[in-house]
Amino acid sequence: MDSTPPPFFRQGVSADVRLALFSLLAIALLVADARLNALDGLRRIIGTVLYPVQRVMLVPQESAEALSSYFADLHSLNDELDRLRRQRVDGARELQQAQHLAEENARLRQLLGMREPSSGGAVAAEVLYETRDPFSRRLVIDRGIRHGVRAGQPVIDAQGVIGQVARVMPLTSEVMLLTDRDATLAVELRRNGLRAVAYGAGRAGGLELRYLPAASDVQLGDLVFTSGLDGVFPAGLPVGQVSELSRSSASFALARVEPAAGVERTRLLLVLFDPPREPVPQPEPQRARTRAVR
């Protein structure tokens, strides 16, 4: 009986011999490459052949890194965009506040510049709200008795007359607008000095110069100023401009006046104080003359 292994299981040279041979070959190649650079050409050929494979193998890693970098950059850009938007909003708000303060400063300068007609001083006030009475035209301001405000004092803005203090509380006051139906004001026309009395038109707005003689020299566009004859408003304050003229009666004429002041839209006001009254000099009492008795 044949006991030799079949061809499939024949190993040929033993494993130890092959290990020794391959080890010697590897050492020889290492020495030849280190001393003689004999494998540089082979190395370049192998590197050239394997380069596409290396690039293909690196595609998933590079794609993952690029995707991660993209999302990181996108997040950073979104944060930067949000920061710039907040800065823009803050800058716009600061710009609006600066413009608002500049406008208020300009209005206050105009208000303070209108103090010349009155030598009694003034106090700046801000409108808090408008009264809810539908039959009157009144405002509430943030100045009262503690600030020196008294009933009857005139109130103006940067353009002209607003009204008159009607009621005073410790910290607030109620101002009757010159368009109120109960308001009256002594005025004169700048063009010819014609004196008249202006009445508030109530809910219709504006003022009316009533009971003018039919032959009065009143024209459209005439400027109306305070005359100072009522003892309340200083003379020379702007009141308005004649916007409509009616001569329906043979005896009287009616002129409508558009207020110069921002009656419906103003927020900063000036309350004029009464000018100090100079003391009237009193005559010195005459001393009784005594005749010397000789």
Side-chain angles (χ1 to χ4, degrees):
M1 176 180 287
D2 188 6
S3 59
T4 60
F8 180 77
F9 294 99
R10 291 177 183 175
Q11 298 181 356
V13 182
S14 64
D16 296 335
V17 175
R18 284 182 294 179
L19 177 60
L21 290 176
F22 285 120
S23 300
L24 292 175
L25 179 60
I27 293 172
L29 292 175
L30 290 174
V31 173
D33 184 49
R35 298 295 180 90
L36 304 175
N37 296 325
L39 300 179
D40 287 344
L42 181 61
R43 188 181 293 109
R44 286 194 294 268
I45 294 173
I46 296 175
T48 303
V49 173
L50 294 179
Y51 177 76
V53 179
Q54 293 175 351
R55 296 302 304 171
V56 171
M57 298 298 294
L58 291 175
V59 166
Q61 180 182 354
E62 293 178 351
S63 301
E65 293 178 354
L67 190 62
S68 177
S69 177
Y70 170 77
F71 284 110
D73 293 342
L74 184 62
H75 182 71
S76 177
L77 288 176
N78 288 332
D79 293 341
E80 182 70 14
L81 183 60
D82 292 340
R83 185 181 64 84
L84 292 176
R85 286 175 178 172
R86 287 193 298 269
Q87 287 183 353
R88 185 182 64 179
V89 173
D90 294 339
R93 181 170 61 250
E94 292 177 358
L95 179 61
Q96 292 175 359
Q97 291 177 351
Q99 292 176 350
H100 181 67
L101 291 176
E103 293 175 357
E104 283 193 351
N105 190 20
R107 288 196 294 268
L108 286 174
R109 289 178 180 273
Q110 292 176 349
L111 284 173
L112 295 177
M114 295 188 65
R115 292 176 56 181
E116 296 180 358
S118 175
S119 59
V123 61
E126 184 174 359
V127 176
L128 296 178
Y129 58 89
E130 185 176 358
T131 59
R132 298 182 179 274
D133 187 357
F135 301 102
S136 64
R137 309 299 295 276
R138 304 197 176 194
L139 301 174
V140 176
I141 61 176
D142 61 347
R143 293 292 183 268
I145 297 175
R146 296 186 58 181
H147 306 93
V149 179
R150 299 292 182 269
Q153 292 175 337
V155 181
I156 65 174
D157 70 355
Q159 285 74 39
V161 177
I162 286 291
Q164 186 177 5
V165 177
R167 186 181 302 169
V168 185
M169 278 73 73
L171 298 177
T172 60
S173 299
E174 188 175 295
V175 177
M176 179 175 62
L177 300 178
L178 77 167
T179 57
D180 188 274
R181 62 181 181 179
D182 295 330
T184 57
L185 182 64
V187 298
E188 66 179 9
L189 302 184
R190 173 60 59 89
R191 181 175 56 86
N192 54 14
L194 177 65
R195 295 188 181 93
V197 177
Y199 297 85
R203 298 190 63 182
L207 301 111
E208 295 178 348
L209 304 182
R210 303 172 185 171
Y211 313 116
L212 293 173
S216 297
D217 183 14
V218 182
Q219 300 178 5
L220 295 178
D222 278 344
L223 299 179
V224 182
F225 289 78
T226 55
S227 65
L229 297 180
D230 52 10
V232 177
F233 291 88
L237 294 177
V239 175
Q241 186 176 14
V242 176
S243 59
E244 185 179 347
L245 188 60
S246 175
R247 302 182 186 272
S248 58
S249 174
S251 302
F252 298 101
L254 175 67
R256 299 187 183 276
V257 178
E258 185 69 22
V263 177
E264 304 294 338
R265 60 185 181 275
T266 190
R267 192 173 65 87
L268 295 175
L269 306 177
L270 199 67
V271 181
L272 303 182
F273 292 160
D274 299 328
R277 298 181 179 179
E278 297 181 358
V280 179
Q282 299 292 335
E284 296 182 359
Q286 295 182 354
R287 297 180 180 179
R289 297 181 179 180
T290 58
R291 296 182 178 180
V293 180
R294 296 182 178 178

